[in-house]
Amino acid sequence: MPVDTQQVIDYLSKLGNELESRRFSVLLSTAKGRPHFLTVINPAAPALSENVMALPDAKGVLWFWFPWRTAITPASDIVAAADRVERVLAEVGRPAS
């Protein structure tokens, strides 16, 4: 099933905006001919970083994924995805968003 590239970029951008509001640094990578992904960095602990991709599941529904092929949430649920990414990248003692 073909992926709508603009939709992938839009969802990754929305997730990036939500994570920036939670004090994470983000970089959207959209190199032509390569999968698009969002690099998320915890500036309080830069070793805590991860890439997030938006890819369709077996039914063609767009989901956010960690690169080790672990599903995060459907891409339409930006807040829940940001919650999950924040839990993965939070440093000890990080105040709740």
Side-chain angles (χ1 to χ4, degrees), residues 20-83:
E20 284 180 326
S21 77
R22 298 175 184 215
R23 303 176 313 275
F24 286 91
S25 296
V26 300
L27 175 64
L28 179 60
S29 296
T30 59
K32 186 174 182 177
R34 310 267 317 192
H36 304 312
F37 61 92
L38 186 69
T39 301
V40 184
I41 302 165
N42 182 335
L48 297 174
S49 67
E50 195 54 78
N51 293 330
V52 175
M53 299 168 285
L55 301 168
D57 66 6
K59 296 179 182 177
V61 176
L62 203 60
W63 278 64
F64 290 119
W65 298 83
F66 287 116
W68 56 88
R69 216 42 195 167
T70 297
I72 300 171
T73 64
S76 60
D77 196 346
I78 301 295
V79 172
D83 289 345

Side-chain angles (χ1 to χ4, degrees), residues 8-28:
V8 167
I9 292 169
D10 291 347
Y11 277 123
L12 289 171
S13 295
K14 289 176 185 178
L15 179 59
N17 290 337
E18 179 65 25
L19 289 164
E20 284 180 326
S21 77
R22 298 175 184 215
R23 303 176 313 275
F24 286 91
S25 296
V26 300
L27 175 64
L28 179 60

